[in-house]
C-alpha cells in the first residue's frame, strides 16, 4: 500500500511537522550519530528511518489517530503503533546536567490533558491532566530540563520537587512565579500580611521580573503547537516521552535564530538588586 506523505519529498515535512527540511535533516544527522539506525533483532521496519521519524513527528504535531497516520504513510495501524512506541523515547531531549555559574533559568509548570487516568488527576482546567515542570535557559529560550509528570492536582511548589526538576538544576539560579514561594526559587515581591502597599522600587522589580519570566509562557505556547500536548491519548510514560521529544523539536526550531542569546537589561538589573 503506497503512502501519501514521505520524508523523501521535502514539501511534506514543514506542513506536517513544524520543522523545515533543513531542520529535519539536522535531526536525522543527530539521530544517526546517536546510533538510532543500527539494525536490531527481528524483522526490518517497513519504513526507512526518515519516514519513521516523520511519522512520530506528524503524530505529535497533528494528534491524528494512528489509524489515520497509517493510511498517510501506507502502513498498518499496528506498525504505526510500534513505531511510536519504539522511536518516541529515542527522540527525547538530552537534558542539560551542568550549568555555568552565571546561568539563569526560568521554571514553570504546564498542564497536559491526558486520557490515561492512571497517571492523571482532575486539575484546575477541570480535565484529567498531568503537571510538567519545564525549565528553560533565560538567554537562549531553550528547554534544558523537563521533570517527570506528576498528577495535575499537584501545585507547582510540590511538583517542582516531586518531578525531579529541582534536583536536575542543582545550584543554578532559577526564577519562577509566586507559586514557587519557599522553594528556593527567586519569586516576585509580595505584600505580607498586615503590610501596606509595596514600595515603588519593588513594583519596578516585579515589572521587570514579569517581562523576563513571560519567556517560559512563550515557550509553552510554541510547544503546544504540537497538538498532542492539548489532548494526549498515549498511556503510561507516553506523555513524558512526547513532552521530552517535543522539547527537543522546539529547541531545534529555535536554535540559530537571531536575537535568542542576548540577555536583556531588565534581567541584569533585577538579579543585581536581588543577590
Amino acid at each position: 500500500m503506497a503512502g501519501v506523505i514521505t520524508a523523501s519529498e521535502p514539501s511534506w515535512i514543514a506542513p506536517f511537522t513544524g520543522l523545515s527540511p533543513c531542520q529535519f535533516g539536522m535531526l536525522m544527522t543527530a539521530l544517526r550519530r546517536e546510533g538510532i539506525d543500527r539494525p536490531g533483532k527481528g524483522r526490518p521496519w517497513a519504513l526507512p528511518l526518515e519516514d519513521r521519524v516523520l511519522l512520530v513527528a506528524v503524530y505529535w504535531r497533528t494528534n491524528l489517530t494512528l489509524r489515520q497516520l497509517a493510511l498517510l504513510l501506507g502502513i498498518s495501524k499496528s506498525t504505526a503503533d510500534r513505531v511510536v512506541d519504539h522511536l518516541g523515547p529515542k527522540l527525547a531531549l538530552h537534558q542539560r546536567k551542568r550549568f555555568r555559574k552565571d546561568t539563569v533559568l526560568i521554571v514553570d509548570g504546564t498542564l497536559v490533558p491526558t486520557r490515561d487516568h492512571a497517571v492523571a488527576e482532575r486539575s484546575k482546567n477541570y480535565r484529567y491532566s498531568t503537571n510538567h515542570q519545564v525549565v528553560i535557559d533565560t538567554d537562549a529560550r531553550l528547554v534544558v530540563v523537563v521533570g517527570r509528570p506528576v498528577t495535575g492536582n499537584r501545585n507547582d511548589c510540590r511538583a517542582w520537587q516531586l518531578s525531579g526538576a529541582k534536583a536536575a538544576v542543582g545550584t543554578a539560579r532559577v526564577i519562577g512565579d509566586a507559586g514557587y514561594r519557599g522553594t528556593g526559587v527567586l519569586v516576585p515581591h509580595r505584600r505580607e500580611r498586615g503590610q501596606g502597599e509595596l514600595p515603588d522600587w519593588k513594583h519596578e522589580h516585579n515589572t521587570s521580573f514579569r517581562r523576563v519570566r513571560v519567556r517560559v509562557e512563550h515557550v509553552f505556547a510554541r510547544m503546544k503547537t504540537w497538538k498532542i500536548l492539548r489532548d494526549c491519548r498515549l498511556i503510561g510514560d507516553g506523555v513524558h516521552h512526547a513532552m521530552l521529544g517535543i522539547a527537543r523539536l522546539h529547541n531545534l526550531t529555535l536554535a540559530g535564530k537571531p536575537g535568542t542569546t542576548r540577555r536583556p537589561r531588565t534581567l541584569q538589573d533585577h538579579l543585581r538588586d536581588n543577590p
Side-chain angles (χ1 to χ4, degrees):
M1 181 171 62
V4 176
I5 65 174
T6 175
S8 61
E9 178 55 55
S11 62
W12 291 111
I13 294 175
F16 281 90
T17 68
L19 303 174
S20 69
C22 179
Q23 291 165 342
F24 188 82
M26 293 169 58
L27 176 62
M28 295 306 307
T29 300
L31 292 175
R32 286 198 167 88
R33 192 181 302 120
E34 296 164 15
I36 301 299
D37 60 340
R38 292 174 186 164
K41 298 180 180 179
R43 295 173 57 188
W45 292 98
L47 295 174
L49 179 61
E50 288 83 358
D51 283 351
R52 299 202 305 273
V53 174
L54 178 68
L55 187 154
V56 177
V58 171
Y59 180 49
W60 289 342
R61 183 74 175 188
T62 64
N63 206 19
L64 294 172
T65 65
L66 291 175
R67 195 176 304 277
Q68 292 168 323
L69 280 177
L71 290 174
L72 285 175
L73 273 296
I75 56 177
S76 67
K77 186 260 184 185
S78 58
T79 299
D81 195 9
R82 288 194 297 272
V83 169
V84 172
D85 287 345
H86 176 263
L87 199 55
K90 299 181 184 299
L91 294 177
L93 171 75
H94 294 259
Q95 305 193 64
R96 196 181 301 178
K97 296 181 180 179
R98 295 182 179 181
F99 303 93
R100 300 193 313 268
K101 290 184 179 180
D102 61 342
T103 298
V104 180
L105 308 174
I106 308 174
V107 63
D108 202 1
T110 187
L111 295 174
V112 176
T114 308
R115 303 283 184 94
D116 184 4
H117 292 183
V119 298
E121 288 289 348
R122 288 190 184 274
S123 55
K124 62 185 179 182
N125 62 3
Y126 305 107
R127 301 177 66 182
Y128 279 88
S129 305
T130 48
N131 183 322
H132 299 255
Q133 296 292 300
V134 177
V135 183
I136 71 166
D137 184 288
T138 305
D139 296 339
R141 299 176 175 85
L142 302 178
V143 178
V144 295
V145 171
V146 177
R148 289 198 60 83
V150 299
T151 54
N153 60 348
R154 295 285 188 182
N155 58 36
D156 287 338
C157 183
R158 288 284 292 156
W160 170 235
Q161 183 173 1
L162 293 175
S163 67
K166 181 178 180 180
V169 301
T171 59
R173 180 172 290 184
V174 185
I175 65 176
D177 60 23
Y180 293 91
R181 190 177 177 87
T183 63
V185 173
L186 183 63
V187 299
H189 300 290
R190 194 177 75 170
R191 189 176 59 182
E192 303 294 344
R193 180 178 297 179
Q195 184 183 11
E197 291 295 325
L198 291 176
D200 291 342
W201 66 270
K202 286 189 176 182
H203 281 298
E204 292 174 2
H205 284 180
N206 285 351
T207 299
S208 65
F209 188 97
R210 286 192 296 269
R211 288 173 179 167
V212 175
R213 201 203 65 81
V214 74
R215 295 181 181 195
V216 72
E217 304 292 351
H218 297 162
V219 169
F220 288 153
R222 284 190 291 265
M223 289 180 67
K224 289 191 176 182
T225 58
W226 280 271
K227 293 184 179 179
I228 198 170
L229 298 186
R230 298 179 181 270
D231 184 18
C232 183
R233 293 187 296 269
L234 296 170
I235 63 174
D237 285 338
V239 64
H240 183 48
H241 296 152
M243 178 62 81
L244 288 171
I246 290 169
R248 182 175 187 173
L249 298 184
H250 163 269
N251 287 357
L252 185 60
T253 62
L254 195 63
K257 287 187 177 181
T260 60
T261 59
R262 183 170 54 88
R263 176 173 297 174
R265 179 67 179 174
T266 54
L267 177 59
Q268 290 179 332
D269 293 341
H270 186 86
L271 295 178
R272 185 184 63 244
D273 298 332
N274 294 269

